[in-house]
Amino acid sequence: MRLAFMGSPDFSVPALQALVAAGHEVAAVYCQPPRPAGRGQRETPCPVHRGALEMGLPVRTPARVRRDAAEHEAFRALRLDAAVVAAYGLILPLPMLEAPRHGCLNIHASLLPRWRGAAPIQSAILHGDRESGVTIMRMDEGLDTGPMLLREAIALPPRATTPWLHDALSEMGARLILRALDQLPEAVPQPEEGVTYAAKLSKADGMLDWREPAEALDRRVRAMNPWPGAFFTHRGETFRVLEAEPARGVGKSGTILPGPGLTVACDTGALRLLRLQRAGRAAMDADALRRGFDFGACLDTPC
């Protein structure tokens, strides 16, 4: 098929590679424009941009497409059989959605209609879902509301992390989009029940509140790494929590309990912090950090 591919982050790269390897003609790759990154704030292309250049594919990086008639016409002029969309980052208007012969097919990292929106992977872990998966859907003007072509589930292990699930669903999506293009199965509407939304993450989503249950905080640590990162503040410093686990213990929320690592009492249970990072410093085990930093009897929570 003659395709356009529309995606930006690492999650999208395996699908683009799979399409090219399968012999599909990728007429254009659309992705987010280069952004300043790193200490030097150099203009840096996104992972899909870099991957497309390595494969010799033409790349387009419009800053916006929703009301740009020239972009709509350029997209229509590609005379596409379909467009494959995977975490592109821009909302496609109706003229672009309707331009390809088979429409725009989205690789969405959840079992729709659960976790429509921007952060389905993190939301599945944060809320303790027992399974996740990928849905291939034909896009409409709604927020992940289009009819479904294919849907495949994966069981989540008890200690699943965002990086693990991200990679698993990225590979699953690459496999499923090939199957969808090959078979073009009949699209079926999404169920009206079970709709949930995964809002775009902000830095505040990583904050740990010791007044929550330990199990919930453990899920937050696993869900929010690598970004925005789980963290707490203490004595004016920010400590990023890279690894933690639930532990036995009872005490007022925020109290530091005896034991290895840095074990903190929560609303119910306790959370043992295993690996942390102070701002501007290297990550280290909690035991090593405690030898060089006096946390006192409790963290910055009334206790």
Side-chain angles (χ1 to χ4, degrees), residues 23 28 54 62 118 120 122 129 137 141 162 192 204 206-207 209 215 239 245 259-260 277 294:
E54 290 173 2
Q122 295 89 339
D129 289 4
M137 52 163 276
E141 290 186 282
T162 284
E192 295 182 1
M207 183 178 295
D209 185 342
E215 289 187 358
F239 294 82
E245 63 183 9
Q277 184 176 19
D294 182 12

Side-chain angles (χ1 to χ4, degrees), residues 114-138:
R114 186 161 177 80
W115 304 130
R116 295 173 179 172
I121 293 174
Q122 295 89 339
S123 295
I125 294 173
L126 183 63
H127 290 81
D129 289 4
R130 294 185 177 181
E131 65 176 5
S132 182
V134 167
T135 304
I136 306 296
M137 52 163 276
R138 180 173 292 121

Side-chain angles (χ1 to χ4, degrees), residues 76-91:
R76 189 180 299 110
L78 292 173
R79 301 184 181 279
L80 302 170
D81 293 312
V84 173
V85 184
Y88 177 34
L90 294 179
I91 297 175

Side-chain angles (χ1 to χ4, degrees), residues 229-252:
F231 68 94
F232 64 92
T233 58
H234 182 60
R235 295 180 177 174
E237 281 200 55
T238 297
F239 294 82
R240 187 171 179 181
V241 180
L242 304 177
E243 187 179 351
E245 63 183 9
R248 292 182 178 180
V250 178
K252 277 193 171 184

